[in-house]
């Protein structure tokens, strides 16, 4: 029988903040306070060691090998050894955040160029679909 959940709340689990002023920041679960809150630490980002509600965290498939209640320096060493930043940059979550940041900083001309290229792509797809449908 296969388990339903694959990402569990445990010490060493890498997560990111999905709501609030720290949106998108990467953190590592260090300890479990209760069923609604966890102690997190951000070794690679400017995220302080705080108790954070689980509802505001999205778990990733990345996991560091840590003991419960590990100190900040231990978390940082484990993250460096694991290559956390490089592995985080490869995830789809990270790529989506980068794309959103890129789109948010576009100039008016760049937004116009994106619109034109999307229209051209849609036109070519329609033409190709019409050509296939005739066959």
């Amino acid at each position: 029988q296969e388990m339903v959940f694959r990402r569990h709340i445990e010490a060493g689990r890498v997560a990111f903040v999905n709501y609030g002023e720290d949106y998108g920041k990467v953190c590592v679960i260090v300890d479990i306070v209760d069923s609604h809150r966890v102690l997190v630490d951000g070794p690679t980002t400017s995220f302080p060691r705080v108790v954070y509600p689980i509802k505001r965290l999205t778990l990733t498939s990345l996991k560091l090998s840590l003991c419960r209640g590990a100190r900040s320096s231990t978390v940082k060493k484990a993250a460096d050894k694991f290559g956390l930043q490089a592995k985080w940059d490869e995830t789809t979550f990270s790529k989506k955040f980068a794309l959103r940041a890129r789109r948010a900083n576009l100039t008016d001309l760049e937004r116009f160029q994106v619109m034109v290229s999307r229209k051209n792509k849609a036109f070519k797809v329609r033409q190709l679909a019409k050509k296939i449908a005739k066959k």
Side-chain angles (χ1 to χ4, degrees):
Q1 188 174 356
E2 194 174 322
M3 290 182 63
V4 178
F5 298 109
R6 299 188 193 289
R7 300 173 184 164
H8 301 286
I9 297 170
E10 55 191 332
R13 178 67 62 186
V14 178
F16 67 88
V17 180
N18 62 20
Y19 181 81
E21 64 185 28
D22 295 320
Y23 179 78
K25 289 189 179 178
V26 179
C27 58
V28 177
I29 296 175
V30 178
D31 201 356
I32 300 166
V33 177
D34 58 27
S35 62
H36 300 289
R37 298 175 302 152
V38 290
L39 178 66
V40 295
D41 198 355
T44 57
T45 58
S46 60
F47 196 78
R49 186 180 178 100
V50 292
V51 174
Y52 221 75
I54 294 172
K55 283 186 176 182
R56 291 192 178 194
L57 296 175
T58 299
L59 303 177
T60 66
S61 58
L62 304 174
K63 184 182 180 309
L64 305 178
S65 57
L66 287 178
C67 296
R68 282 184 61 188
R71 295 181 180 192
S72 292
S73 59
T74 309
V75 174
K76 181 147 179 60
K77 286 177 189 173
D80 292 340
K81 183 179 177 186
F82 184 70
L84 179 62
Q85 192 59 46
K87 289 186 180 179
W88 168 251
D89 290 338
E90 293 173 7
T91 62
T92 55
F93 290 126
S94 173
K95 291 175 184 174
K96 284 180 185 179
F97 287 134
L99 184 64
R100 282 185 192 153
R102 170 79 177 110
R103 286 203 174 149
N105 293 325
L106 290 179
T107 63
D108 190 37
L109 176 64
E110 290 169 333
R111 276 194 297 276
F112 176 75
Q113 290 169 337
V114 168
M115 180 199 68
V116 169
S117 65
R118 287 182 66 208
K119 287 174 94 173
N120 287 338
K121 179 182 169 189
F123 176 74
K124 289 178 183 174
V125 168
R126 276 197 312 274
Q127 294 297 83
L128 188 62
K130 192 186 284 186
K131 191 177 192 180
I132 293 171
K134 285 184 180 181
K135 289 184 179 179

